Amino acid sequence: MKPIQLLALTAVLFVALVGFRTGKRPAPNGWATVADTLKVDAETGLVDDTNLMLVKAQCTACHSSKLILQHRFTRDGWQERIRWMQKYHKLWDLGESEKVVLDYLEKYYGPQTARFSNTLRRAPLKNVQWYQLEQ
Ligand code: HEC
């Protein structure tokens, strides 16, 4: 075998081996857990849910969904924002939809619920048992 052939063979084997190894490498810890819970709407970034369309219609007519995404309020807090927009910013009476909108906001954009910035997170662990590390 000529040196150039040997070189080419080595290169092919190297590429094949590296390709094989990278292909098998598992995703870094966390990726799977991030993707497995909630889906978000591509247009608004709001959590996809059966009531997404209604929320989009009521809440993204005047401003970007970012105003929603960057806040976390309790149910009462969200209702106060709605009253405030109704008082000062010509937001209409939401009627029957108000409950649905509040259910949605409380579920996904409450103080300790699902979404944290643009990453989907699990809820904080409850009843964690701590133990003393031996020195
Ligand atoms: C009729 C127009 C209109 C609609 C519809 C509307 N908003 Fe607003 N909203 C506003 C205006 C105007 C502001 C003030 C924007 C600013 O400060 O730049 C605002 C601000 C906000 C803020 C920021 C409040 C703060 O404390 O800074 C949030 C959160 C918000 N809206 C959520 C919602 C939600 C949820 C809905 C659906 C129920 C909704 N908006 C529907 C007009 C509207």
Side-chain angles (χ1 to χ4, degrees), residues 55 57-63 67-71 73 78 81-82 84-85 88-92 94 101 105:
V55 174
Q58 301 285 353
C59 303
T60 62
C62 303
H63 53 65
L67 276 184
I68 299 171
L69 293 174
Q70 64 198 196
H71 287 94
F73 297 124
W78 280 112
R81 295 338 286 159
I82 290 174
W84 171 81
M85 283 180 282
Y88 298 107
H89 296 297
K90 302 197 170 79
L91 173 59
W92 47 83
L94 300 182
V101 168
L105 293 170

Side-chain angles (χ1 to χ4, degrees), residues 48-60:
D48 205 346
D49 176 280
T50 42
N51 292 317
L52 173 69
M53 282 306 160
L54 185 142
V55 174
K56 265 169 98 167
Q58 301 285 353
C59 303
T60 62

Side-chain angles (χ1 to χ4, degrees), residues 38 40 45 47 69 72 108-109 113-120:
L38 303 165
V40 295
V47 173
L69 293 174
R72 296 293 176 275
Y108 301 115
Y109 303 100
T113 43
R115 303 200 77 236
F116 179 74
S117 77
N118 287 325
T119 327
L120 300 168

